[in-house]
Amino acid sequence: SKIISRLFDKSKITFDEFSILDWGGGDGYISSLYSNIIQTILNKEVKFEIYDYSDWNDSRGEKVELEKIRKKFQLIIFSHVLEHTHDPVKEIEKAKKYADKNTIFIIEVPDERYRLIMGLLGSRFGLNYHVSFFSRSSLIKLMNICGIHSVLSKYEFTSSYRGNSIPTIIAVGCMNKSCKSVKQTPNLIYELGSSLVLTFKKVIKKLMQKDLKWLISQISI
């Protein structure tokens, strides 16, 4: 919400209504959180709909089929989706059909830059079930290629996903060029430095978990 408010700080864009399209949103866990937050801020009803390739049980929102959508959405969310796609540009372009010039895009992906450094240090480096990896710079560039302007982004080292701790990269942008927030394009030194910090935190956390498991095993003995 802070990033969105910064994006619209100097623009005159207002929303008569507000609806969310959760692209690849599964059961709607993320969009239900966003709708509650935005509903509180705007003091108006916020509805959300979910589009996903696969069937999910216990959906929190209305599942939609793309060919039946006849409206534009004010917010489109890609939460932990693009890392599973071989062509992120194509995926965003598909979603843009359901956006107008004022639509906000929120993209969140796991920050897995540490895998490259660990690979250089001799650790096994595999793609597992993620096929695309991002930095802040590449995520900003991706959104700009897709015509999403004034992208604001941040590394979130203390983020979580469904209760599991996971560092993420969050980016917010708008289709309207009147969103004139200052762009934040990290330079190479910043990217390398933050990658090293992330790797250090990952290694320390792993060592602490290993020590904790050893301590628990000793107590149980």
Side-chain angles (χ1 to χ4, degrees):
S1 61
K2 286 182 180 179
I3 299 176
I4 292 174
S5 63
R6 283 175 54 201
L7 186 69
F8 285 84
D9 184 33
K10 296 179 182 179
S11 72
K12 297 180 180 179
I13 299 172
T14 58
F15 298 102
D16 295 326
E17 59 180 36
F18 206 98
S19 58
I20 300 171
L21 176 59
D22 193 350
W23 192 276
D27 62 357
Y29 171 79
I30 294 297
S31 47
S32 64
L33 296 178
Y34 274 114
S35 64
N36 289 331
I37 293 170
I38 296 172
Q39 192 163 285
T40 301
I41 295 170
L42 296 180
N43 194 27
K44 64 175 65 176
E45 185 180 11
V46 176
K47 296 181 179 180
F48 65 94
E49 298 178 14
I50 306 158
Y51 165 66
D52 202 288
Y53 310 103
S54 56
D55 293 328
W56 283 66
N57 296 323
D58 303 322
S59 179
R60 301 165 190 243
E62 182 183 349
K63 297 286 290 283
V64 294
E65 298 177 18
L66 294 184
E67 59 273 13
K68 294 182 179 180
I69 296 177
R70 297 291 182 269
K71 67 176 184 178
K72 306 294 185 180
F73 294 85
Q74 287 67 54
L75 173 63
I76 296 179
I77 301 171
F78 284 87
S79 178
H80 293 269
V81 172
L82 294 184
E83 67 270 21
H84 300 282
T85 63
H86 290 279
D87 192 343
V89 172
K90 183 178 179 181
E91 203 68 22
I92 294 174
E93 289 292 343
K94 284 169 62 179
K96 279 176 60 179
K97 295 176 183 177
Y98 311 99
D100 62 23
K101 67 176 184 177
N102 295 330
T103 296
I104 308 162
F105 281 79
I106 297 179
I107 296 178
E108 185 174 11
V109 293
D111 186 356
E112 299 183 291
R113 296 170 298 151
Y114 68 92
R115 290 183 180 274
L116 176 60
I117 294 177
M118 297 304 292
L120 293 173
L121 294 175
S123 176
R124 181 177 176 274
F125 183 76
L127 291 178
N128 55 54
Y129 55 89
H130 290 170
V131 295
S132 293
F133 297 88
F134 302 89
S135 65
R136 271 183 64 194
S137 297
S138 67
L139 194 55
I140 291 170
K141 185 180 292 185
L142 168 66
M143 295 175 77
N144 287 336
I145 288 172
C146 295
I148 301 172
H149 306 285
S150 299
V151 178
L152 300 176
S153 68
K154 65 179 295 188
Y155 287 123
E156 189 59 75
F157 295 116
T158 59
S159 184
S160 63
Y161 183 70
R162 294 179 179 266
N164 297 314
S165 176
I166 178 173
T168 61
I169 311 170
I170 302 171
V172 177
C174 181
M175 296 282 288
N176 196 323
K177 291 183 179 180
S178 67
C179 296
K180 296 293 185 181
S181 295
V182 178
K183 292 184 180 179
Q184 302 171 312
T185 305
N187 58 38
L188 181 60
I189 295 175
Y190 178 87
E191 291 285 25
L192 289 173
S194 60
S195 298
L196 289 171
V197 169
L198 173 63
T199 304
F200 178 76
K201 287 187 174 184
K202 279 283 186 179
V203 170
I204 293 298
K205 183 177 180 180
K206 216 162 198 178
L207 290 174
M208 290 178 65
Q209 289 175 339
K210 188 175 181 180
D211 289 341
L212 182 61
K213 286 180 180 178
W214 178 84
L215 182 61
I216 292 172
S217 66
Q218 294 302 306
I219 293 173
S220 61
I221 292 172

